[in-house]
Amino acid sequence: MRKFKSLICIILVVVMMFTTLGIVSSANTERLVGDCNGDGNINGKDVLLLRKHIVGLEYVDNTDYADCNGDGNINGKDVLLLRKYIVGLASELATLKPATTTPPTQGELNGAGEAVPSSYSTELCTQITINQIGYSTYASKTAKLFESSGISKDDSQIAKVDVYLIDAKTGKTIMKATTKNRGYDTPSDKYVVEFDFSDCITNGTYYIAAPAGRSYEFVIDSNPYEELNDALLTMQYYQRCGTALDSEIVGNYAHSACHTGDAYPAKILNKDNGTVYVQSDVKTATDFEGGLHDAGDYGRYTTPAVQVVADLIYSYVMFPDALDLDIIQDNAGENISDALDEARYEAEWLLKMQAEDGGVYWKATTIQHANFAQPDKDNYFLHGTYDGSHNASQYGLYVSRVMYESTAGAAGAFATCYVAFKDIDKDFANECLAAAKKAYNWCMQDSAALPRGAKKAFDSIGSNPSIGTGSYGGTACNEALWYAACSLYAATGDKTYSDKIDAMITAGTCNYTGMTAYNFGGFGSVAYLLYDKGDSTIKQNILAAFVSAADTYKANSKTNRWDSIYSGAGMYNWGSNQGICCAMKMCIVADYFNGTDTYEETVRNVMSFILGRNWSEYSFVTGYGSKTP
């Protein structure tokens, strides 16, 4: 459960990639090539319109402004150049020159109108696995079938099954194809075949008919993920701690303010030479209220919080039109996306977790995970029902000691907030920038005292008292510092931070692509790539690291029977979906800053895996899909 919130943020990034594209840019005083929508700006909205124009979903009013490279055509090369121009990797676009393009049309499909054999069952067969939310109109589209859907275990016969795509409203066959053998999959112990219906580009509701029965219904649509995208964003509000939730938004999940109040102590734990001691118990739960519950255990952890802030802000900066939902009462500014509202809510809690010397506490949790109860009725917080070595007075919050990775990561998140909010709420932005500098300076102190030092990672508090909540341990302190240095450099342009970046590159000890609660390196890299004054050579080297990682994931997905990126059964462990989706963020970054679609199919395939096209037959996003937890 602890990883669920992080997983939601990661899926959010994946989903919104294909909802739209966008990035902030400066305004132009007159319409130039690249200003596809004619609003006087060249930014991500123009990229979005250009892509829609190419596939025939929407059209540029004057194609003279869409031919970005001046070759007389409008195609993916123009998208590539426009995106590079926006992020500073290309210096100029073409001058005005007429251009034209023709949207694709669907021709006659094989088997159209043919009757499904009478021997085919009409019962639901969940072993015909699909993306239960649906498929984008012009994207690749496949279903996976395995042995109990009528496929023989004989490998020589496995690819010889005719499968039909059926219009759910009319019952007519749209196309027919013989399945392609994907082979035996060891982790799931299944023989897998594939039905490819990418040639169907007509929006509608469909199902698949195979010998053993029919699949769930699904849609083909120009934007099948909009509702899911909005729900995943609103889910962040459901996780708010320290405030009452609005019943008009969350329905039966409404509750009063939780984990707050001056009557409840907050014991700040520290550790010296292996001995755990209470540093201070003069603070209260109110001093640490806020933030987002990590999951149903109601703990709040600073390293996942850093990821949440980074995920939401960078998602919004890169893809603003996908995250324009605004149903939560604004705390980030009037008419501001809920993505920024929730990022700020989390960041405000991180500010409370910063100690006076600049260090950031590790976590704020009860002594054990909550029982199955509403957040405002958490027994371990209210009544101290823990029946171990502590008496009933041991209730309230336990705030675990300042940690290096928490502090460096928070410095990065604070600086990210400064860049995002400086034109929205200057006071809040300046508070974040001051906190970022303070945290960074703490990390730079030359002290042997725990937990400072680049090699000091998380450890458990120990057995006195026994804290049974999550750890989010790791050893990626260099990556956390990389995020801090890059984001502060993007916020200030200060040579202090660029010198640190240069030194870390020279040392070669940093992973530039991780974007999880355990590794913040990729967030620092995105901060640097988005900064318009960064060194172009460093940008290219960072981007090459993302491309290298994305190439690996693309190759893995092509060989995986289910299009996942894992091979061995042991890789599908608890929380493995988070690892899969984090890998897709790297693919998204590689495509975004290169202006390409090289990894689009890989990301779409992983989305389909998450949304039901897998051996479990479940959509892994609760409440969305035909078969969901």
Side-chain angles (χ1 to χ4, degrees):
M1 287 294 289
R2 292 202 308 276
K3 293 184 180 177
F4 183 66
K5 177 161 66 72
S6 299
L7 173 61
I8 286 295
C9 290
I10 294 159
I11 295 177
L12 178 64
V13 177
V14 173
V15 170
M16 58 82 191
M17 175 189 182
F18 301 110
T19 307
T20 187
L21 299 167
I23 186 171
V24 176
S25 185
S26 59
N28 293 310
T29 57
E30 60 184 28
R31 188 169 183 183
L32 302 172
V33 171
D35 182 13
C36 298
N37 62 3
D39 67 354
N41 300 285
I42 297 179
N43 55 31
K45 293 181 180 179
D46 299 297
V47 177
L48 170 64
L49 180 56
L50 181 54
R51 287 176 58 112
K52 287 184 175 180
H53 180 97
I54 291 170
V55 298
L57 295 178
E58 195 173 334
Y59 294 97
V60 177
D61 63 343
N62 188 329
T63 56
D64 292 353
Y65 300 100
D67 184 14
C68 296
N69 63 2
D71 67 354
N73 300 295
I74 299 178
N75 52 36
K77 293 180 180 179
D78 299 295
V79 176
L80 166 63
L81 180 59
L82 182 57
R83 288 170 72 174
K84 284 189 172 183
Y85 176 79
I86 290 171
V87 300
L89 294 177
S91 59
E92 61 182 17
L93 301 175
T95 55
L96 288 179
K97 186 176 181 180
T100 58
T101 188
T102 303
T105 58
Q106 179 174 296
E108 185 72 12
L109 300 179
N110 180 58
E114 184 176 322
V116 176
S118 59
S119 60
Y120 281 34
S121 172
T122 58
E123 299 296 319
L124 176 68
C125 177
T126 58
Q127 288 77 31
I128 307 171
T129 65
I130 56 166
N131 182 325
Q132 295 174 21
I133 302 302
Y135 300 84
S136 296
T137 308
Y138 295 97
S140 62
K141 312 171 192 71
T142 61
K144 307 286 185 179
L145 297 79
F146 54 91
E147 58 192 52
S148 57
S149 59
I151 308 301
S152 168
K153 285 190 176 183
D154 181 351
D155 194 61
S156 65
Q157 299 297 317
I158 198 169
K160 297 182 179 180
V161 176
D162 287 336
V163 179
Y164 297 79
L165 178 67
I166 308 297
D167 186 317
K169 292 184 178 180
T170 65
K172 293 183 178 179
T173 296
I174 302 301
M175 66 172 292
K176 178 184 76 170
T178 301
T179 54
K180 176 183 177 182
N181 182 12
R182 289 301 301 267
Y184 174 73
D185 178 62
T186 301
S188 62
D189 189 28
K190 307 291 185 186
Y191 285 92
V192 184
V193 298
E194 182 175 273
F195 169 49
D196 190 327
F197 51 99
S198 301
D199 289 342
C200 178
I201 56 174
T202 300
N203 292 348
T205 303
Y206 301 90
Y207 66 87
I208 292 168
R214 53 186 289 177
S215 71
Y216 293 116
E217 292 185 359
F218 57 89
V219 300
I220 295 175
D221 190 80
S222 59
N223 188 5
Y225 306 120
E226 184 174 14
E227 181 184 352
L228 173 62
N229 185 68
D230 291 350
L232 292 171
L233 183 53
T234 305
M235 180 266 179
Q236 305 301 313
Y237 174 80
Y238 281 64
Q239 296 297 87
R240 283 192 179 191
C241 185
T243 188
L245 298 190
D246 187 342
S247 62
E248 292 188 6
I249 298 174
V250 302
N252 293 335
Y253 292 97
H255 61 74
S256 59
C258 58
H259 303 100
T260 187
D262 293 341
Y264 301 102
K267 302 170 180 64
I268 301 175
L269 304 180
N270 216 319
K271 193 172 185 179
D272 185 18
N273 296 323
T275 301
V276 175
Y277 62 93
V278 177
Q279 178 177 314
S280 169
D281 60 357
V282 296
K283 290 182 178 289
T284 67
T286 300
D287 293 310
F288 297 100
E289 73 177 10
L292 303 177
H293 293 139
D294 187 66
D297 56 39
Y298 306 137
R300 287 164 291 155
Y301 305 82
T302 53
T303 47
V306 167
Q307 181 192 339
V308 169
V309 171
D311 271 342
L312 289 174
I313 289 179
Y314 290 138
S315 297
Y316 179 76
V317 169
M318 295 167 70
F319 306 97
D321 293 335
L323 281 82
D324 61 358
L325 187 71
D326 185 22
I327 63 172
I328 309 300
Q329 181 178 359
D330 291 321
N331 69 325
E334 289 299 322
N335 301 317
I336 293 299
S337 165
D338 290 340
L340 294 184
D341 279 323
E342 298 312 311
R344 176 168 179 165
Y345 195 84
E346 186 81 301
E348 287 174 336
W349 173 73
L350 276 174
L351 289 169
K352 295 179 181 180
M353 292 292 284
Q354 187 170 42
E356 292 182 3
D357 66 352
V360 176
Y361 296 114
W362 174 12
K363 61 181 180 178
T365 71
T366 50
I367 197 167
Q368 298 290 334
H369 288 314
N371 291 318
F372 192 74
Q374 288 183 184
D376 55 344
K377 295 180 174 59
D378 182 352
N379 287 335
Y380 291 121
F381 177 74
L382 297 172
H383 306 300
T385 56
Y386 174 58
D387 57 2
S389 59
H390 301 279
N391 58 40
S393 66
Q394 301 298 308
Y395 63 97
L397 290 179
Y398 284 77
V399 179
S400 298
R401 70 188 182 113
V402 168
M403 301 296 288
Y404 187 96
E405 202 164 358
S406 296
T407 305
F414 292 147
T416 299
C417 284
Y418 171 77
V419 174
F421 290 99
K422 63 183 179 180
D423 296 327
I424 298 172
D425 187 332
K426 188 174 181 180
D427 290 340
F428 172 68
N430 287 337
E431 181 183 7
C432 287
L433 183 58
K437 292 178 178 179
K438 193 174 181 180
Y440 181 86
N441 291 339
W442 183 95
C443 294
M444 290 297 99
Q445 292 181 60
D446 183 15
S447 173
L450 288 175
R452 299 186 180 99
K455 294 184 179 179
K456 300 296 181 184
F458 287 123
D459 61 2
S460 62
I461 282 295
S463 60
N464 183 24
S466 178
I467 304 297
T469 53
S471 63
Y472 287 104
T475 58
C477 292
N478 284 327
E479 285 70 22
L481 186 60
W482 172 260
Y483 179 30
C486 288
S487 58
L488 273 163
Y489 179 52
T492 67
D494 195 313
K495 188 174 184 296
T496 299
Y497 307 116
S498 62
D499 286 347
K500 187 62 180 177
I501 291 168
D502 291 341
M504 296 186 76
I505 291 173
T506 300
T509 57
C510 184
N511 179 304
Y512 300 128
T513 59
M515 288 185 281
T516 71
Y518 303 94
N519 186 319
F520 305 138
F523 297 129
S525 297
V526 170
Y528 198 96
L529 288 169
L530 287 171
Y531 183 43
D532 58 2
K533 295 181 180 178
D535 181 87
S536 60
T537 300
I538 293 177
K539 284 188 175 183
Q540 294 291 354
N541 289 338
I542 289 173
L543 195 49
F546 278 110
V547 168
S548 177
D551 283 341
T552 298
Y553 299 132
K554 180 179 180 179
N556 289 352
S557 180
K558 282 185 174 297
T559 58
N560 185 283
R561 311 309 186 205
W562 301 95
D563 302 327
S564 170
I565 62 167
Y566 290 153
S567 53
M571 302 184 77
Y572 294 98
N573 51 20
W574 176 75
S576 60
N577 283 339
Q578 178 178 205
I580 293 172
C581 291
C582 279
M584 293 305 96
K585 286 199 291 186
M586 299 178 201
C587 293
I588 291 170
V589 169
D591 265 343
Y592 183 89
F593 288 101
N594 267 329
T596 60
D597 296 320
T598 304
Y599 310 105
E600 179 174 323
E601 185 173 4
T602 302
V603 179
R604 288 185 184 276
N605 279 333
V606 168
M607 281 181 63
S608 291
F609 175 86
I610 295 294
L611 295 173
R613 202 177 64 188
N614 57 68
W615 62 85
S616 77
E617 309 156 28
Y618 275 91
S619 165
F620 295 136
V621 181
T622 307
Y624 281 81
S626 301
K627 185 177 182 181
T628 175

